[in-house]
Amino acid sequence: MGLFDFLKKSSVPASVPVEEVPGTILQPIEGKIIPLADIADGVFSEGVLGNGCGVIPAAEAVYAPISGTISTVADTKHAVGIEGDGVEMLIHVGLETVSMNGKGFDVKVKEGDQVKAGQLLMTFSLNEMSKAEGVTSTSAILVTNSDDLPCCEQLFTGDGKVGTPIIKVK
């Protein structure tokens, strides 16, 4: 630790202002939104874990896409589950990131925590991902109970910011 490290402030805010829209999931990671079918992992692309979309991260922070309760935090810190308003979600950061055993991930929540949309859930290191063999940063944003909902429709593809509506669920 350097002499002036205590003066450095995190560039990642603890929350970002978002406008929640009932029945809509907000973008949790800044970057390029892609169709679920374009994720290079059959478990995600074929919808085995639910419908949703992918994101190629342009930033290293994950924010809550809905308000609710943290239902799951992976032991290897690469995935977080949230339940709220009848929606069950999983945000899986990167592909094959379980092999990193938590290196490069900093989870800010635990199971049972109540979160608001726009609240910081975790940070991750794109640099660490690039060093890990077989790992890519493409992430999955999944509605794991999409079969139980009236619809689950991706709203757009392309570059987006945290808080942009990306999936309509009702």
Side-chain angles (χ1 to χ4, degrees), residues 22-93:
T24 303
I25 293 171
L26 305 176
Q27 185 166 340
I29 305 168
E30 182 177 337
K32 182 179 180 181
I33 298 296
I34 62 172
L36 195 64
D38 290 355
I39 296 177
D41 183 319
V43 170
F44 300 121
S45 65
E46 294 171 18
V48 173
L49 297 177
N51 204 342
C53 63
V55 61
I56 301 169
E60 299 178 319
V62 178
Y63 292 90
I66 60 173
S67 293
T69 304
I70 299 298
S71 57
T72 305
V73 175
D75 291 341
T76 51
K77 304 178 184 177
H78 70 285
V80 175
I82 305 171
E83 294 180 7
D85 195 25
V87 175
E88 298 171 10
M89 295 197 59
L90 179 68
I91 303 167
H92 189 285
V93 180

Side-chain angles (χ1 to χ4, degrees), residues 16-153:
V16 294
V18 300
E19 183 180 336
E20 280 192 270
V21 177
T24 303
I25 293 171
L26 305 176
Q27 185 166 340
I29 305 168
E30 182 177 337
K32 182 179 180 181
I33 298 296
I34 62 172
L36 195 64
D38 290 355
I39 296 177
D41 183 319
V43 170
F44 300 121
S45 65
E46 294 171 18
V48 173
L49 297 177
N51 204 342
C53 63
V55 61
I56 301 169
E60 299 178 319
V62 178
Y63 292 90
I66 60 173
S67 293
T69 304
I70 299 298
S71 57
T72 305
V73 175
D75 291 341
T76 51
K77 304 178 184 177
H78 70 285
V80 175
I82 305 171
E83 294 180 7
D85 195 25
V87 175
E88 298 171 10
M89 295 197 59
L90 179 68
I91 303 167
H92 189 285
V93 180
L95 300 177
E96 302 302 329
T97 45
V98 70
S99 68
M100 294 174 65
N101 293 313
K103 186 175 182 183
F105 293 90
D106 183 16
V107 179
K108 309 293 187 183
V109 293
K110 63 186 181 314
E111 287 182 21
D113 282 357
Q114 296 295 309
V115 296
K116 295 283 186 193
Q119 181 178 332
L120 182 65
L121 302 179
M122 77 164 74
T123 59
F124 57 93
S125 171
L126 290 170
N127 186 42
E128 289 295 333
M129 284 185 197
S130 71
K131 292 180 197 176
E133 189 172 331
V135 171
T136 66
S137 65
T138 300
S139 301
I141 303 158
L142 305 169
V143 179
T144 57
N145 68 333
S146 56
D147 289 345
D148 300 334
L149 300 172
C151 73
C152 190
E153 172 188 354

